[in-house]
Amino acid sequence: MRQFEAAVAAMVLCVAAPAFAADQPSTPPAVTASAPDLSWQDRLERHTGVVDLPQAKARLNLGTDYYYLDAAASRRVLVEGWGNPPDAADGVLGMIFPARFKPLDGPSWGAVISYQDSGYVADKDARDTDYDKLLDDLRKSEPEQNAEREKAGYASLHLVGWAERPTYDATRHVVIWARDLKAGNASVDTLNYDIRLLGRKGVLSLNVISSINDLPEVRAAAGHIADQAAFVPGQTYADFHKGQDKMAEYGVAGLIAAGVGAAAAKKLGLLAILAIFLKKGAVLLVAAFGAVAAWFRRTFLGQKDVAAKASKPPSGPDLIS
């Protein structure tokens, strides 16, 4: 697929953000005698109009310009179509595609939907965090992290910059950010576009992986989808009952930081903190490992030693869903 030429990065749901086929080892696949049979995508049931997401207590109003594939159909696209390991689709509630494309068409893109049952995310810190500084911190760790990736047979990743700087709409309670990522020597950068809708008890996540060339279309589509996504009555951000409902252990700034580099922090032993973000199968591209750990220490732990909080030692590269 064109948008995956940059074959970019791994999948885990934001930390729950899932990484899809991009972060596979760089060894080319064996050449087959004939093209794969993709006719099954024509038989996937498309849903338009109002789509209920009962697991998230939310719904989408897609109209006729976009269609929804349920969890089972999305798993087939992610695993059979995009070449991800089966557990990359765990936790994925469904996917959204432009109505004019099949899921595996070259110009197509897909938004992966997931839900994080994290509790109510306070938004008081949304405008106080220096996200450009966070970007600089993440870049500082690239040489060391890429050396590790290349040793393991994975393409290097460079966080070029914000394709869309993090913003928070305090009226709709929607957080949006996007990253421009370069994988190895790919001629086209990869776009990872994140939308988070805050609710009473958790966060609805929509994550788009595409070519950076698709940014204008994806931005317009993301705006439409975010406008039409909503939690059901009783589960909205405004329905929160202080003292009764669960509070998330992070605010909007932490949500963004985790989305940008949570898998990195997990690798460095911050699993106890980041477990609240992570569900296998969520879609997220990670560009750096090292500096995000220091950011979390400063922001959430002060100078405490977090090494003891790791539930297991670091392992190989994470796949981001």
Side-chain angles (χ1 to χ4, degrees):
M1 297 175 65
R2 176 172 55 80
Q3 64 265 43
F4 295 103
E5 287 177 337
V8 100
M11 250 170 79
V12 189
L13 192 85
C14 186
V15 232
F20 299 98
D23 203 25
Q24 301 301 318
S26 56
T27 303
V31 177
T32 57
S34 59
D37 179 10
L38 302 178
S39 61
W40 53 265
Q41 67 177 320
D42 296 320
R43 298 187 292 274
L44 299 176
E45 185 176 2
R46 299 184 178 191
H47 303 269
T48 57
V50 177
V51 174
D52 288 324
L53 302 172
Q55 301 94 323
K57 296 182 174 61
R59 63 171 55 103
L60 306 170
N61 189 349
L62 301 178
T64 57
D65 291 333
Y66 305 94
Y67 64 90
Y68 167 86
L69 297 181
D70 65 15
S74 297
R75 173 176 289 275
R76 191 160 192 188
V77 170
L78 294 173
V79 177
E80 293 184 39
W82 290 5
N84 291 285
D87 65 356
D90 292 351
V92 172
L93 304 183
M95 297 181 71
I96 299 170
F97 292 92
R100 66 186 186 280
F101 295 126
K102 299 177 184 179
L104 304 182
D105 283 350
S108 185
W109 53 262
V112 180
I113 307 169
S114 59
Y115 177 70
Q116 299 139 43
D117 185 16
S118 55
Y120 176 87
V121 177
D123 61 2
K124 294 181 180 179
D125 63 349
R127 292 182 174 84
D128 297 335
T129 301
D130 187 342
Y131 298 115
D132 291 331
K133 178 62 165 60
L134 173 60
L135 196 69
D136 290 340
D137 286 345
L138 289 167
R139 285 184 179 134
K140 289 176 183 176
S141 71
E142 281 186 3
E144 180 180 355
Q145 187 240 339
N146 279 329
E148 180 181 346
R149 290 174 62 83
E150 291 169 358
K151 186 184 300 183
Y154 290 75
S156 62
L157 282 176
H158 172 56
L159 179 56
V160 178
W162 295 119
E164 183 116 359
R165 198 173 184 280
T167 59
Y168 174 62
D169 185 327
T171 301
R172 298 183 300 155
H173 307 293
V174 173
V175 187
I176 290 178
W177 71 90
R179 283 153 289 163
D180 179 347
L181 294 155
K182 178 174 286 294
N185 297 318
S187 59
V188 179
D189 289 0
T190 294
L191 171 68
N192 187 216
Y193 201 103
D194 284 272
I195 306 165
R196 302 284 192 273
L197 180 64
L198 309 185
R200 174 182 175 181
K201 297 182 178 180
V203 181
L204 182 66
S205 170
L206 298 99
N207 184 278
V208 180
I209 301 174
S210 188
S211 162
I212 194 65
N213 296 333
D214 296 331
L215 177 59
E217 178 180 352
V218 171
R219 179 188 288 125
H224 172 79
I225 293 170
D227 284 342
Q228 301 304 317
F231 287 97
V232 300
Q235 300 298 320
T236 70
Y237 198 76
D239 292 320
F240 173 71
H241 292 296
K242 189 174 182 179
Q244 300 179 29
D245 293 334
K246 173 185 174 181
M247 288 284 297
E249 298 181 33
Y250 54 92
V252 169
L255 180 70
I256 295 172
V260 173
K266 173 189 171 202
K267 193 176 185 68
L268 291 176
L270 295 177
L271 185 60
I273 296 175
L274 295 175
I276 51 182
F277 302 110
L278 291 168
K279 287 187 178 179
K280 275 191 173 181
V283 180
L284 166 84
L285 296 179
V286 173
F289 279 13
V292 73
W295 190 92
F296 266 97
R297 289 190 187 99
R298 292 195 303 270
T299 306
F300 299 113
L301 299 181
Q303 299 302 316
K304 292 180 182 178
D305 179 10
V306 298
K309 293 181 181 292
S311 65
K312 60 180 180 180
S315 57
D318 292 293
L319 281 184
I320 300 172
S321 35

